Amino acid sequence: MEPMEPTEEPHQRYARGVSAFARGDAARAAELARGLLGEFPDLAPAWGLLGAALCQLRFADAGLVALERACALEPDNPRWHHDRGQALSRLHRHGESLEAHRRALELDPGFAAAACGVADALALSGRGEEALAEYRRAAELHPAWSLPWGRQGLIHARREAWREAEASYRRAAALAAPSEAGPWVDWGNALRRQGRLDEAEAALGEALRRDPESPEGWGGRALLLGDRERWGEALAAVERALPRRASDPLYHEARGQALHHLGRREEALAAFEQALTLEPDRPTARWHRMIARLPAIARNATDPPRHRAEFLAALEEMTATWADLPPEARDRLAGAAGASLPFLLAYQGENDREPQSRFGDLLHAMVTWRARREGWHPPPPDPGPPTPRLRLGIVSAHLRRHSVWDALIKGMVARLDRERVALHLFHLSPEEDGETRWARQTAAAFIQGPLGLAGWAGAITAARPHVLLYPEPGMEPLAAQLASLRLAPRQWASWGHPETTGLPTVDAFLGADALEPPDAQDHYRERLIRLPGLGCCYHPPEILEQEAAALLAEEPEGVPRLICAHTPFKFHPRHDRLFPRIAREAGRVRFLFFDYLPAPELSERLKRRLAEAFAAEGLVMADHCRFLPWLRQGMFHGLLRRVEGALDPVGFSGFNTAMQQLGAGVPLVTVEGRFLRGRLASGILRRLGVPELIAPDEEGYVRLAARLARDGAWREGLRRRIAAGMPGLWGDEAPIRAMEQALREESERPPCAP
């Protein structure tokens, strides 16, 4: 109990509690309120303060009890009815919250906060138009108050009515007090959702200028930095917010996402568990926790099988939970479906058809449920009568300079016969560059986001495509959500992410003869269409090469350099031992890796693993390995002129990287893997006519890499043959002609279900 100071009256102690609550110290406010109630058990203001403080501390049940006591003691006080309505809202009892706020407004028709509470309850009940009217009423009651305008912005943003949202946020920002960050935070978050990241950063920066300790401002900045894949900074931002929002699951969830991308698996899972402790049915935390079973990088060779088993168990649990949920609970969980994807499953070196199919069935069920419940489920596809020009839709977030664009999409856009194919491009991202503008000019139709899931489904079905192609649905949540719906009679995927989609709504997978093993169909749920050659019409991107000599100024003279130009998660821990074995056999060699810019901690984990592998062979990693900074394309190409060879990761190859390295004349050693994702470089080398660079196994990989480092004459002969052969790989139209034939054949098949 709080002792009363000798000269302090009860109202002074109450004022101290209100002051503590106002500055964000709800725990102190609750302590002071309890002290008062110990001496004055019928003091309604103390019950009201206690209730509000407990709600702020996320003890809404206890807060509601206290506020109901305040209402019983002072039934005509509108403040207690308003605060009771706020407590009911926290408990998702929106109908009762609406009535409580209406009672407050009856008692005081000029109570703007109560009008706002009515609007909030209506909005949370899905009655958006009524809510907008009540927010306008609150704004009329309190013309200088920014909150009603900001809340109108939130409703418009939820509907993706961005013009109206921006107008509301501008009005809220104009009314905001000098130290008020809220309108700028909401505006920044809306801009972020539209992909207008520079503008979002400016708005969130203004929020933090006004209130440098705004937890919402730091939380918004964390989400923005995550969108920019600056995960270390994102973690620092959310941890800046957490001390003042320790009881809010949103911040623990955001922290978990950052930790997951930084490879800190156990900490990420603990953060998601904390979010679920605070809000047990929080759907996005439940979903992200399932995906986070797959870490961004493994610590050792024994981890991946264990992580895989834990992910499959979590997937099974999620599937069973979904089957048992009542409709209202399904509505909430369905909104999280596909928020993140099991992208990292492909890096474990196993056949993923079965787990991806289980995931695909769940995603399809949840997104379809959401579409039906929200009233926008697309009708059965009807492309109309046959037409000489087939309508092909391509759905991608990468209709711009990107590895998926360079390898797959650009050749289609450039070479598909417009007499036979009308190309409809759906660019899911607001990002654009010169490639985007060129694609817009050459396509029969071009639609660019942001539109949201329902908006995109409507736009795609309105185009009535005969065939819909998703080049990389495993990389982009929105693409995966759309692909889980039946939006066209025939739906295809391709190898932007070289892995089966597992979706029952994707009918065929565009592979390549030169890249797939004989038993490749066993790796796909989809019917495999094997296009000839490399399966794509590749054109080398135009890159202004930059001199890279300064990068290697400290490198020892005369030591061969083998470049390992891949992200850390492509290097499976069971293959770490190959590098010291190559070093021992070669005698003198330097491996050039790269610090991974989006998450440097992943590179640090790889360094620790390599150090252990070299030490196990009696060698020192630093004598043989160097991690260079992440390079822009021009500098990377300059570096390729100064290395003796390149090593392709065992098990997960790189198509664009191999093409760039070979295009610069750099000999590349690879192992031919079991799956498409481990055979990209070997397919290129065979087409190029240098199959001797393809190792049959790990022992052969070590021998070839060591010879590449030692044997300068062999190396130079390979360089000449590679330089002579590479032009023959550019601009191969055979895959495009085969694709056109497959389109015609597919369009004549009966529509697929579901």
Side-chain angles (χ1 to χ4, degrees):
M1 184 182 299
E2 173 77 8
M4 184 183 295
E5 296 178 10
T7 59
E8 192 175 33
E9 297 295 331
H11 70 272
Q12 292 174 309
R13 295 173 65 188
Y14 173 73
R16 283 203 290 136
V18 170
S19 177
F21 184 82
R23 65 175 182 268
D25 191 351
R28 177 61 174 160
E31 180 185 8
L32 288 164
R34 286 193 177 101
L36 275 169
L37 291 168
E39 299 177 43
F40 308 100
D42 292 329
L43 188 62
W47 284 109
L49 176 60
L50 177 61
L54 289 170
C55 287
Q56 189 65 44
L57 293 167
R58 302 194 71 83
F59 299 114
D61 285 312
L64 179 61
V65 171
L67 288 162
E68 287 180 338
R69 176 68 173 152
C71 288
L73 290 166
E74 293 184 0
D76 294 332
N77 188 323
R79 166 56 62 182
W80 312 142
H81 291 282
H82 166 270
D83 289 355
R84 177 174 175 270
Q86 296 293 95
L88 289 162
S89 180
R90 286 178 179 270
L91 294 168
H92 307 292
R93 292 160 61 177
H94 302 308
E96 294 172 80
S97 173
L98 177 61
E99 293 309 311
H101 284 111
R102 280 181 169 159
R103 176 60 180 152
L105 206 52
E106 288 173 6
L107 292 167
D108 181 0
F111 192 1
C116 219
V118 168
D120 289 342
L122 290 167
L124 291 167
S125 301
R127 296 159 66 178
E129 286 303 322
E130 296 173 76
L132 286 171
E134 289 296 335
Y135 285 132
R136 288 192 287 269
R137 177 183 179 184
E140 290 171 1
L141 291 171
H142 193 339
W145 194 21
S146 65
L147 185 66
W149 291 102
R151 294 287 171 81
Q152 289 178 69
L154 290 173
I155 289 183
H156 292 310
R158 197 172 297 124
R159 295 174 168 183
E160 296 177 355
W162 300 117
R163 184 177 302 175
E164 292 85 351
E166 184 160 351
S168 296
Y169 287 136
R170 284 185 182 276
R171 187 72 178 270
L175 293 169
S179 61
E180 186 179 354
W184 294 93
V185 172
D186 292 339
W187 193 356
N189 288 335
L191 290 165
R192 182 185 63 81
R193 285 181 55 203
Q194 296 172 71
R196 295 160 61 182
L197 300 187
D198 289 340
E199 295 170 82
E201 188 157 10
L204 291 165
E206 174 62 17
L208 291 169
R209 186 193 68 78
R210 289 166 169 260
D211 181 0
E213 299 304 319
S214 166
E216 290 76 20
W218 286 109
R221 180 165 173 76
L223 296 174
L224 171 72
L225 291 165
D227 287 349
R228 291 191 183 277
E229 296 191 329
R230 290 156 53 185
W231 292 108
E233 294 174 76
L235 178 61
V238 75
E239 289 185 340
R240 182 80 179 264
L242 261 175
R244 294 180 64 186
R245 289 294 180 269
S247 60
D248 190 331
L250 171 65
Y251 294 85
H252 294 279
E253 181 182 312
R255 182 171 180 268
Q257 279 290 84
L259 289 165
H260 171 56
H261 285 90
L262 290 169
R264 294 160 62 176
R265 177 182 184 268
E266 304 309 322
E267 293 174 84
L269 291 171
F272 292 130
E273 290 293 348
Q274 181 62 27
L276 289 166
T277 298
L278 294 166
E279 186 181 334
D281 62 344
R282 185 172 180 81
T284 46
R286 294 168 74 177
W287 187 272
H288 291 315
R289 179 183 60 175
M290 175 181 74
I291 298 297
R293 303 288 178 184
L294 300 169
I297 188 169
R299 293 174 299 182
N300 52 56
T302 62
D303 273 354
R306 177 172 62 85
H307 296 158
R308 187 182 186 87
E310 290 182 14
F311 167 72
L312 293 175
L315 176 59
E316 184 176 351
E317 180 185 0
M318 181 73 76
T319 302
T321 297
W322 172 256
D324 293 339
L325 286 177
E328 296 76 13
R330 280 193 171 196
D331 292 343
R332 291 197 75 209
L333 187 56
S340 50
L341 303 173
F343 171 80
L344 294 161
L345 194 65
Y347 295 88
Q348 297 190 335
E350 303 294 337
N351 186 344
D352 295 329
R353 175 176 175 167
E354 190 272 336
Q356 287 283 31
S357 296
R358 287 165 57 186
F359 179 83
D361 285 338
L362 178 63
L363 183 64
H364 165 67
M366 295 174 77
V367 176
T368 301
W369 173 275
R370 174 184 170 187
R372 287 175 175 154
R373 293 281 286 188
E374 293 178 3
W376 54 267
H377 188 267
D382 177 20
T387 172
R389 292 179 74 210
L390 294 173
R391 291 183 295 278
L392 170 65
I394 298 180
V395 183
S396 174
H398 302 114
L399 300 180
R400 54 183 174 83
R401 273 306 311 277
H402 185 275
S403 58
V404 175
W405 170 263
D406 290 343
L408 292 172
I409 306 173
K410 185 174 184 177
M412 298 177 191
V413 175
R415 299 299 183 182
L416 281 168
D417 184 352
R418 296 305 194 270
E419 297 297 317
R420 304 176 69 185
V421 178
L423 194 57
H424 292 248
L425 300 179
F426 303 96
H427 186 24
L428 302 181
S429 168
E431 293 185 56
E432 65 173 71
D433 57 15
E435 302 290 277
T436 313
R437 292 184 284 275
W438 169 75
R440 182 182 286 111
Q441 292 170 359
T442 192
F446 187 102
I447 299 177
Q448 186 169 6
L451 291 180
L453 184 59
W456 276 118
I460 291 168
T461 53
R464 302 172 72 193
H466 295 89
V467 177
L468 200 56
L469 171 63
Y470 295 91
E472 76 299 17
M475 292 173 63
E476 167 58 39
L478 179 56
Q481 292 165 344
L482 288 166
S484 72
L485 297 167
R486 174 62 67 181
L487 304 179
R490 292 283 162 180
Q491 300 188 157
W492 293 355
S494 193
W495 46 274
H497 183 52
E499 172 94 312
T500 180
T501 68
L503 290 166
T505 46
V506 177
D507 312 302
F509 190 98
L510 294 183
D513 267 338
L515 306 180
E516 296 282 8
D519 63 345
Q521 183 58 67
D522 294 341
H523 309 155
Y524 297 97
R525 182 174 189 168
E526 308 86 351
R527 182 171 58 87
L528 179 61
I529 298 176
R530 302 174 73 120
L531 298 178
L534 298 176
C536 60
C537 182
Y538 183 86
H539 296 269
E542 295 182 7
I543 296 172
L544 182 63
E545 188 175 305
Q546 295 176 266
E547 177 54 56
L551 281 172
L552 304 176
E554 298 179 6
E555 286 294 296
E557 290 290 333
V559 178
R561 294 177 285 257
L562 301 182
I563 194 168
C564 309
H566 295 272
T567 53
F569 43 82
K570 282 193 175 183
F571 295 97
H572 196 287
R574 67 169 168 256
H575 303 132
D576 292 347
R577 60 192 173 84
L578 301 180
F579 294 99
R581 291 175 61 191
I582 294 167
R584 186 174 293 284
E585 186 162 331
R588 301 181 74 212
V589 67
R590 291 282 280 177
F591 303 108
L592 301 182
F593 295 89
F594 292 86
D595 285 320
Y596 184 49
L597 184 61
E601 290 192 23
L602 302 189
S603 300
E604 293 301 317
R605 176 72 58 82
L606 179 58
K607 290 176 190 177
R608 290 194 292 272
R609 283 186 3 210
L610 288 172
E612 292 172 3
F614 274 85
E617 292 284 336
L619 300 174
V620 177
M621 187 266 284
D623 292 342
H624 299 279
C625 299
R626 182 178 173 191
F627 279 73
L628 296 171
W630 197 257
L631 301 180
R632 294 185 180 274
Q633 288 277 17
M635 186 67 75
F636 178 68
H637 275 251
L639 179 64
L640 291 177
R641 303 295 182 191
R642 296 182 170 273
V643 300
E644 280 65 44
L647 299 181
D648 196 44
V650 178
F652 205 114
S653 187
F655 183 87
N656 284 283
T657 305
M659 281 293 210
Q660 291 169 28
Q661 291 166 340
L662 293 166
V666 179
L668 169 70
V669 171
T670 190
V671 175
E672 192 156 59
R674 295 168 55 200
F675 310 107
L676 165 66
R677 57 188 180 270
R679 302 168 65 92
L680 301 172
S682 62
I684 297 169
L685 290 169
R686 276 211 172 81
R687 295 284 291 178
L688 190 56
V690 284
E692 61 266 43
L693 287 170
I694 305 170
D697 52 31
E698 294 179 10
E699 293 295 329
Y701 184 80
V702 171
R703 288 194 299 271
L704 281 176
R707 184 182 178 189
L708 193 61
R710 286 195 318 260
D711 192 338
W714 183 58
R715 208 165 52 227
E716 290 310 308
L718 288 168
R719 283 186 181 276
R720 289 191 293 272
R721 289 167 59 197
I722 290 168
M726 282 304 290
L729 300 187
W730 310 145
D732 181 9
E733 294 192 14
I736 303 300
R737 302 287 81 82
M739 181 179 173
E740 291 168 349
Q741 181 60 33
L743 284 168
R744 175 59 60 186
E745 292 171 0
E746 287 285 287
S747 70
E748 294 170 355
R749 293 170 177 261
C752 286

